[in-house]
Amino acid sequence: MKEDVSLERETFAAISSPVGTGAIGVVRINGPESHKIVKKLMSKRIDDIKYRMVYHVELISENQIIDEVNLVFYKAPNSFTGDDMVEIYCHGGVIVTRKVLDALIRNGARLAERGEFTRRAFLNGKINLIEAESIYRIIEAKSEKALKIAMQNLKGALGKEIEELREELLNILAEIEVSIDYPDDIEIDENKIYMKLEAVAIKVKKKILEGRKGLHLSTGVVMAIVGKPNTGKSTLLNRLLYEDRAIVTDIPGTTRDVIKGEIDIRGVHFIIADTAGIRKTEDPIEKIGIERSIKEIQKADIILFVLDATTGFTNEDEYIYERIKSYNYLPVWNKIDTNNNIKELEIPHIEISALTGKGIRELEKKIVERVKEIIESGETSHVITYRQYEALQRAYKYLDNALKGLKIGLEFDVISIDIRKCLEEFDKLIGRTFSDDLLNTIFSNFCVGK
Ligand SMILES: Nc1nc2c(ncn2[C@@H]2O[C@H](COP(=O)(O)OP(=O)(O)OP(=O)(O)O)[C@@H](O)[C@H]2O)c(=O)[nH]1
Ligand SMILES: [Mg+2]
């Protein structure tokens, strides 16, 4: 059952429009007392409230007119949240909206928590978790494409696909269980089961592959700046971000931890990670930093391999090259403002000066060209959060286990355990089952009032 006892019977309110001045401010109140509280503040007494109708009234608190407002009453379950609810459209402006909110609170509402309206909508079964997450993504959308995908999910795109897979899996499970319960009566075709299960697994795998790409649209393309110490990685990060984010010195080994920044380059959202220079070292702190650099290499969609034109290609560069050559990397010769020592690499590279800014536009262009394919292929994906991505990965793991089990002739009751585990992952994905912790994590990202 979807019941969240701690919050259930309370009435809460929040300002739902952004802070600041605008023509209209929106204040929302939700819960069993919401209608009563608002009626108390209305200048006109209306006994027979019509729902979903706009009333034009004055709000009065402590004998003072707060504002002239429009408001709409919603009756459960016909509201966004599924609870009784009132939306008040007052004049925009920090003071007015605050005063309306204060009056609601003084009359019995409490302040809403982050994302609490959407949380109620989820708990009342108005939306599933994927839809709730897309509301957040719609608000946060960083590109038009990301917005489009989030909108499709709000209409249920990913949820529907998962429901379908879930249905197929339930059918398979039913077949298996009948044969477990009536081993003498039911002849089961193992090949058929295998093929059906494999078909589900292939679809999940496809979702995962699309998802990896789709995440770039909603969260950004991950780019790591990697190289030996002192090549100018931090200088380059600062240059790309247009701000002094990372410390720059001429001492090799300056950057110890991964430093991240986000920026749009030619319409693509990037999460850029500046990493500790990679070299053999005995310094324990530097060692940890270097381990983290290696991790960033594995996570990155594109790697900028920064080389130093004053030193040329050294053994240290060779050491790093061996570690990144299987990834999507772009060699960048830095410090070309000095007398340079560039030894031609076989592969095409870019020449820049992070210090003077020379070549940076060219570099940005190359970077975007390199990730274009990733981005375009992500447009078919409906996976928009890491939570969804990871749940799919776990679901796949169980399917894969079940398939392997079938192959080596394991008993059906063992196979059915993996299938059930996979079903659990699907349920978590759409929010058929959930924990309070999970909800807290998801909704804590929201703003108050949504
Ligand atoms: N001449 C010149 N110097 C540069 C350029 N880019 C960086 N430097 C200098 O190189 C030194 C090292 O720069 P950083 O950005 O700290 O290098 P890093 O790669 O982050 O170094 P670690 O964090 O130690 O790995 C500093 O003195 C910078 O001013 C450049 O394009 N030209
Ligand atoms: Mg650095």
Side-chain angles (χ1 to χ4, degrees), residues 11 32 51 121 130 175-176 223 228 279 290 348 361 417 446:
T11 297
Y51 303 120
I130 292 171
E175 263 183 73
I176 291 179
M223 174 157 73
K228 69 185 174 202
R279 63 170 164 183
I290 292 172
R361 294 290 91 80
I417 295 175
F446 279 66

Side-chain angles (χ1 to χ4, degrees), residues 228-235 247-255 274 276-277 334-335 337-338 353-355:
K228 69 185 174 202
N230 219 35
T231 55
K233 298 179 293 300
S234 300
T235 312
I247 298 171
V248 168
T249 74
D250 56 4
I251 306 161
T254 299
T255 306
D274 172 29
N334 187 33
K335 309 192 186 180
D337 53 293
T338 61
S353 166
L355 195 66

Side-chain angles (χ1 to χ4, degrees), residues 153-431:
N153 266 0
L154 185 59
K155 290 193 197 132
L158 180 61
K160 255 183 224 137
E161 288 172 287
I162 301 302
E163 289 280 4
E164 276 167 26
L165 291 173
R166 187 177 172 278
E167 218 40 52
E168 286 170 41
L169 214 52
L170 277 174
N171 286 336
I172 299 171
L173 191 63
E175 263 183 73
I176 291 179
E177 306 225 305
V178 172
S179 83
I180 295 173
D181 292 345
Y182 306 99
D184 300 332
D185 307 327
I186 307 286
E187 179 95 36
I188 191 159
D189 184 344
E190 290 190 22
N191 263 335
K192 228 168 138 190
I193 294 284
Y194 187 92
M195 273 157 61
K196 281 188 188 169
L197 205 56
E198 195 181 35
V200 176
I202 289 171
K203 283 183 198 157
V204 174
K205 185 86 202 174
K206 193 163 162 260
K207 287 268 114 222
I208 292 172
L209 291 175
E210 286 172 5
R212 178 85 195 99
K213 293 164 184 161
L215 282 175
H216 301 126
L217 282 177
S218 56
T219 57
V221 177
V222 181
M223 174 157 73
I225 306 179
V226 174
K228 69 185 174 202
N230 219 35
T231 55
K233 298 179 293 300
S234 300
T235 312
L236 177 57
L237 174 82
N238 293 344
R239 173 66 67 184
L240 290 170
L241 294 180
Y242 297 96
E243 65 174 296
D244 279 340
R245 179 70 55 90
I247 298 171
V248 168
T249 74
D250 56 4
I251 306 161
T254 299
T255 306
R256 295 300 180 93
D257 214 340
V258 178
I259 298 169
K260 289 192 178 164
E262 297 196 23
I263 191 106
D264 278 3
I265 302 178
R266 296 170 169 247
V268 180
H269 195 72
F270 281 88
I271 301 163
I272 311 178
D274 172 29
T275 64
I278 297 174
R279 63 170 164 183
K280 294 201 175 89
T281 176
E282 290 311 313
D283 181 322
I285 302 172
E286 198 179 349
K287 255 190 185 159
I288 297 171
I290 292 172
E291 275 164 29
R292 292 193 179 167
S293 303
I294 309 259
K295 277 204 190 117
E296 286 305 316
I297 292 174
Q298 290 158 354
K299 279 195 270 178
D301 303 304
I302 178 170
I303 294 164
L304 298 185
F305 179 24
V306 183
L307 298 156
D308 189 334
T310 60
T311 66
F313 197 84
T314 64
N315 286 340
E316 280 176 312
D317 293 316
E318 182 69 41
Y319 176 80
I320 298 166
Y321 173 70
E322 287 303 318
R323 267 151 198 79
I324 62 164
K325 66 180 181 191
S326 61
Y327 297 91
N328 181 23
Y329 74 96
L330 188 62
V332 179
W333 280 102
N334 187 33
K335 309 192 186 180
I336 53 155
D337 53 293
T338 61
N339 284 337
N340 67 54
N341 236 328
I342 299 174
K343 223 201 274 168
E344 277 301 324
L345 290 175
E346 284 167 31
I347 19 162
H349 62 268
I350 294 270
E351 297 180 10
I352 63 161
S353 166
L355 195 66
T356 66
K358 189 158 186 258
I360 293 293
R361 294 290 91 80
E362 199 52 38
L363 173 65
E364 290 180 337
K365 201 172 131 202
K366 266 273 157 27
I367 292 170
V368 172
E369 270 171 27
R370 270 296 178 84
V371 298
K372 216 173 187 161
E373 196 194 325
I374 307 176
I375 293 168
E376 279 166 7
S377 55
E379 283 172 42
T380 51
S381 168
H382 289 122
V383 176
I384 52 170
T385 70
Y386 276 105
R387 185 191 75 84
Q388 296 166 1
Y389 180 68
E390 284 171 358
L392 282 171
Q393 274 186 318
R394 285 193 300 268
Y396 182 77
K397 195 188 75 196
Y398 292 125
L399 288 174
D400 196 45
N401 273 348
L403 286 169
K404 282 186 185 135
L406 278 174
K407 237 182 199 156
I408 59 168
L410 286 186
E411 297 292 332
F412 272 136
D413 48 0
V414 181
I415 306 294
S416 73
I417 295 175
D418 279 318
I419 297 183
R420 279 178 193 289
K421 286 244 166 79
C422 177
L423 277 166
E424 278 171 26
E425 292 302 334
F426 284 162
D427 285 350
K428 279 190 231 161
L429 188 52
I430 40 190

